[in-house]
Amino acid sequence: MIRIAIDAMGGDHAPQAVVAGVNQAIDSFMDIEIQLYGDPSQIKKYLTAQERVEIIATSQVIEGEDEPVKAVRHKKNASMVVAARAVKDGQADALLSAGNTGALLTAGLLVVGRMKGIERPGLMPIIPTINPESPQFILMDAGANAQSKPVYLHQYAILANHYCQTVLQIEKPRIALLNNGTEMSKGDDLRKEAYGLLSQERKIHFIGNIEAKDLLNGQADIVITDGFTGNAVLKTLEGTAKGIFKLLKQTLKAGNFKTKLGALLLKGQLKKMAYNFDDTRQGGAVLLGVNHPVIKAHGSANDQAIYHAIEQARMMVLARTIDRMRHAFQQAD
Amino acid sequence: MIRIAIDAMGGDHAPQAVVAGVNQAIDSFMDIEIQLYGDPSQIKKYLTAQERVEIIATSQVIEGEDEPVKAVRHKKNASMVVAARAVKDGQADALLSAGNTGALLTAGLLVVGRMKGIERPGLMPIIPTINPESPQFILMDAGANAQSKPVYLHQYAILANHYCQTVLQIEKPRIALLNNGTEMSKGDDLRKEAYGLLSQERKIHFIGNIEAKDLLNGQADIVITDGFTGNAVLKTLEGTAKGIFKLLKQTLKAGNFKTKLGALLLKGQLKKMAYNFDDTRQGGAVLLGVNHPVIKAHGSANDQAIYHAIEQARMMVLARTIDRMRHAFQQAD
């Protein structure tokens, strides 16, 4: 049995969306057991799954506005923290939360624990492209570390490579470095040094620099960057997509009869398009470089997003992704 | 008369689009004189303006693939370089090119010259938002400098503030620092130090940090960042917008009869929406921190984009934007 510890209280639509996702996952995957950490009375309102689900009562919740390190240290009975401890203590195999990102990164680092040989764990979201032949790419680091060194980027590439091979089953992932031009001499000192490390690393298939304008074209399976830039790029991408879809909606709503009729005729196609561009279908963002799978679902995650994040946690455990990473970095020592 | 030196050979659609933009501008603005630098036989094919236009023959062109510094140093008779020299020598008041960005930055720095007191000139594009009440914002630096220091960011804010006041006529521009969170303690060392400098600068209206996800909401008039992040954010924004519009087009084309009819009914509205999101209507990106207005039109600029960039150059000269900047930094010395 694969045991997944879930913070039932984290996220904008918690616990409803979280529990609804769990109900579906229990139906789909016969080999999982779910531990739901949170307020039992609230959880029970939405829980319909009858088997392989356990509720563990916790009395505190980490809020979105909480300062991450302080919250993890002081709210010792928070759903997220208790769930993390269960993973650390071997009572569960993977941790999932849609709550405060900073707090989950902190819980991953301080409670679940940094993997031996890893300088800094990084956050790795999976992002949809507009290329059907290469429908997603991985970005790492998307913001776990604001301040970076070349060696972090080198380690991100090795970690993400293992994820891609084991979970996405891409045998030889194309790894690129996000830079301000494609020539190898481009970028600041961090980029130049990281380029050197990546191009000399034999365990990966490094294809050189990629520019931000080409991210959605599916030219790379893994895009490596520092956490500050990664955060800015991911948030720009999400903000722009959301903004344009909003503008589209307004345009269609505000128009005359002709526009409204056109919008009505297109409804199905536009929905399908928005769905194809939905970044939650591949699961959440994974904190890589810690001792167990730690998955961050989007704060606005709905039941489908939670379902996919559970599926992703299950895959990471089944494929022994973490063992392979540990092995790679023990050898390196 | 306002004299504008234009690199007729720069850009994907040069010289046709450049000359077509000039034809329109000459019609609209009675107070401008245009100097077109390039191949006279090619320019004459498209030139219909009969007055206030001069062609200056040049024998070389800087190509998109040329290494910027080398190209500016060695192609001494390139249209871009000769135009830059005319500005430097006082024969023209402003420089405009849609050619190689790196080369134009180099020509701005080495030929037109860095403004006294400025550490590093920065590139400032104007980006549309989805908020009709605050329809654009300025980003600086969008990639002139890959490696940055806090003082550069401080100077960007003062430069962009003058541009905003004089050209966009926003009396008290809201200036924000792009960061990975809104709290003042966020970011890497560069952000923390820049935050300190900006919050203490009395000449500007600093409103704190802004996250990349909020860029298109019109919360700030000016967003300050380092050139590496700025380049990544700008290119992500352009790439995502382009990608989604492409996806939309494909969706509408590939559908059944119902979809096609809907698309036909919506054509006008969708075009209007794409036009509202067109970043060329506000002109090109300005290299701020050099001795004269230097404007970079998009490589794919069409005649309308060139027209607006000419209008922008004219405004900068009329409003004495550079004089005000020079004054601010002379006082600071």
Side-chain angles (χ1 to χ4, degrees):
Chain A
M1 277 291 164
I2 295 160
R3 302 158 306 163
I4 304 171
I6 300 183
D7 167 17
M9 311 309 283
D12 306 343
H13 311 299
Q16 179 164 16
V18 178
V19 177
V22 168
N23 291 332
Q24 291 170 41
I26 286 288
D27 257 6
S28 293
F29 309 114
M30 297 303 135
D31 54 0
I32 62 169
E33 268 176 23
I34 303 278
Q35 300 162 11
L36 279 168
Y37 293 81
D39 176 349
S41 69
Q42 283 199 61
I43 292 171
K44 279 178 190 157
K45 265 196 266 181
Y46 307 106
L47 190 65
T48 57
Q50 305 276 350
E51 45 168 12
R52 291 176 280 122
V53 181
E54 186 187 353
I55 299 175
I56 293 99
T58 56
S59 58
Q60 289 173 302
V61 174
I62 294 181
E63 309 289 348
E65 315 78 53
D66 280 348
E67 201 284 306
V69 178
K70 231 186 249 173
V72 171
R73 287 221 170 111
H74 296 303
K75 289 189 169 177
K76 289 197 188 304
N77 203 17
S79 52
M80 185 196 284
V81 177
V82 181
R85 219 149 45 215
V87 174
K88 154 88 177 171
D89 295 343
Q91 290 154 28
D93 303 307
L95 171 63
L96 167 60
S97 174
N100 184 318
T101 306
L104 186 63
L105 296 177
T106 305
L109 201 63
L110 299 186
V111 182
V112 177
R114 186 162 52 84
M115 189 180 280
K116 211 185 147 192
I118 294 293
E119 297 264 342
R120 291 281 187 287
L123 189 63
M124 187 205 77
I126 304 167
I127 301 170
T129 73
I130 59 161
N131 179 353
E133 286 169 25
S134 181
Q136 85 270 316
F137 73 97
I138 275 174
L139 183 72
M140 186 167 178
D141 170 25
N145 302 292
Q147 192 86 44
S148 291
K149 293 182 185 170
V151 61
Y152 303 176
L153 274 64
H154 182 195
Q155 295 193 334
Y156 297 158
I158 295 172
L159 291 169
N161 194 55
H162 281 295
Y163 181 89
C164 232
Q165 289 179 329
T166 55
V167 180
L168 301 179
Q169 284 157 22
I170 299 171
E171 208 182 315
K172 207 177 153 192
R174 297 159 299 165
I175 301 189
L177 176 67
L178 184 65
N179 209 334
N180 60 357
T182 51
E183 306 87 338
M184 63 172 284
S185 62
K186 281 284 181 175
D188 53 5
D189 294 344
L190 176 60
R191 254 41 70 163
K192 285 174 192 164
E193 288 185 46
Y195 191 102
L197 293 172
L198 293 172
S199 60
Q200 281 159 37
E201 174 59 63
R202 284 164 173 233
K203 282 186 229 117
I204 61 167
H205 176 41
F206 181 57
I207 60 167
N209 290 325
I210 187 170
E211 287 190 80
K213 72 181 164 68
D214 293 320
L215 286 174
L216 297 191
N217 297 338
Q219 294 176 357
D221 300 302
I222 298 170
V223 174
I224 297 297
T225 190
D226 70 289
F228 189 86
T229 309
N231 173 274
V233 161
L234 177 66
K235 296 293 172 64
T236 302
L237 217 153
E238 289 180 351
T240 307
K242 201 183 267 180
I244 293 179
F245 282 120
K246 192 173 151 190
L247 204 61
L248 184 60
K249 228 174 180 175
Q250 283 171 351
T251 303
L252 300 186
K253 260 196 175 164
N256 55 14
F257 175 73
K258 198 177 94 179
T259 306
K260 283 194 176 116
L261 180 61
L264 195 68
L265 291 169
L266 286 180
K267 211 175 168 186
Q269 290 292 322
L270 292 178
K271 266 204 170 158
K272 208 171 117 187
M273 174 179 135
Y275 178 74
N276 281 336
F277 207 72
D278 180 357
D279 61 351
T280 58
R281 288 186 307 146
Q282 296 286 349
V286 188
L287 178 64
L288 289 186
V290 291
N291 285 320
H292 300 278
V294 173
I295 295 176
K296 168 69 178 80
H298 209 283
S300 64
N302 60 10
D303 52 345
Q304 276 303 302
I306 297 293
Y307 171 88
H308 288 298
I310 293 172
E311 185 181 17
Q312 179 187 24
R314 172 179 172 269
M315 272 301 289
M316 281 188 74
V317 177
L318 273 180
R320 300 189 157 278
T321 306
I322 300 288
D323 285 346
R324 287 195 40 179
M325 291 172 180
R326 195 178 282 125
H327 187 68
F329 283 95
Q330 272 171 354
Q331 281 190 318
D333 273 358
Chain B
M1 279 289 164
I2 295 159
R3 302 158 305 163
I4 303 170
I6 299 182
D7 167 16
M9 311 309 283
D12 306 343
H13 312 298
Q16 178 163 18
V18 178
V19 177
V22 167
N23 291 332
Q24 292 171 40
I26 286 288
D27 256 6
S28 294
F29 310 114
M30 297 302 136
D31 54 1
I32 62 169
E33 268 176 22
I34 303 278
Q35 300 163 10
L36 279 167
Y37 293 80
D39 175 349
S41 69
Q42 284 199 61
I43 293 172
K44 279 179 191 156
K45 265 196 267 180
Y46 307 107
L47 190 66
T48 57
Q50 306 275 349
E51 44 168 13
R52 292 174 280 122
V53 180
E54 184 188 353
I55 299 173
I56 293 98
T58 55
S59 57
Q60 289 173 304
V61 174
I62 294 181
E63 309 289 348
E65 316 79 53
D66 279 350
E67 201 285 305
V69 178
K70 232 186 248 173
V72 171
R73 287 221 169 110
H74 296 303
K75 290 189 169 177
K76 290 200 187 301
N77 203 18
S79 51
M80 186 196 284
V81 177
V82 181
R85 218 149 46 215
V87 174
K88 153 89 177 170
D89 294 344
Q91 290 153 29
D93 303 306
L95 171 62
L96 168 60
S97 173
N100 185 318
T101 306
L104 186 64
L105 296 177
T106 305
L109 199 64
L110 299 186
V111 181
V112 177
R114 186 162 51 83
M115 189 180 281
K116 210 185 147 192
I118 295 292
E119 296 265 343
R120 291 281 188 286
L123 189 63
M124 188 205 76
I126 304 167
I127 302 171
T129 73
I130 59 161
N131 179 353
E133 284 170 26
S134 182
Q136 87 270 313
F137 74 96
I138 274 173
L139 183 72
M140 186 166 178
D141 171 25
N145 302 292
Q147 192 87 42
S148 292
K149 293 181 185 170
V151 61
Y152 303 176
L153 274 64
H154 183 195
Q155 295 193 334
Y156 296 157
I158 296 172
L159 290 169
N161 195 53
H162 281 294
Y163 181 89
C164 231
Q165 288 178 330
T166 54
V167 179
L168 301 180
Q169 285 157 21
I170 300 171
E171 207 181 314
K172 207 176 154 192
R174 297 159 299 165
I175 301 189
L177 176 66
L178 183 65
N179 209 334
N180 59 357
T182 51
E183 306 88 337
M184 64 171 283
S185 62
K186 282 283 180 177
D188 54 5
D189 294 344
L190 177 61
R191 255 41 71 164
K192 285 174 192 165
E193 288 184 46
Y195 191 102
L197 293 171
L198 293 172
S199 60
Q200 281 159 36
E201 173 60 61
R202 285 165 171 233
K203 282 185 229 118
I204 61 168
H205 176 42
F206 181 57
I207 59 167
N209 290 325
I210 187 170
E211 288 190 80
K213 71 180 166 66
D214 293 319
L215 286 174
L216 297 191
N217 298 338
Q219 294 175 358
D221 300 303
I222 297 171
V223 174
I224 298 297
T225 191
D226 70 288
F228 189 86
T229 310
N231 172 274
V233 161
L234 177 67
K235 297 293 172 65
T236 302
L237 218 153
E238 289 180 351
T240 307
K242 201 183 268 181
I244 292 179
F245 282 120
K246 193 174 150 189
L247 205 61
L248 184 61
K249 228 176 181 173
Q250 284 172 351
T251 303
L252 300 186
K253 261 196 175 163
N256 55 16
F257 174 73
K258 199 176 95 179
T259 306
K260 280 189 179 121
L261 180 62
L264 194 69
L265 291 169
L266 287 182
K267 211 174 167 184
Q269 290 293 322
L270 292 179
K271 265 204 173 158
K272 209 171 117 187
M273 173 180 137
Y275 178 74
N276 280 336
F277 206 72
D278 181 356
D279 61 352
T280 58
R281 287 187 307 146
Q282 295 286 349
V286 188
L287 178 65
L288 289 186
V290 291
N291 285 320
H292 300 278
V294 173
I295 295 176
K296 168 68 179 81
H298 210 283
S300 63
N302 60 12
D303 52 345
Q304 276 302 303
I306 297 292
Y307 171 87
H308 288 299
I310 294 171
E311 185 181 17
Q312 179 186 24
R314 172 179 173 269
M315 273 300 289
M316 281 188 74
V317 177
L318 274 179
R320 301 191 158 276
T321 307
I322 299 288
D323 286 346
R324 288 194 40 177
M325 291 172 180
R326 197 177 282 125
H327 188 68
F329 283 95
Q330 271 171 353
Q331 281 189 316
D333 273 359

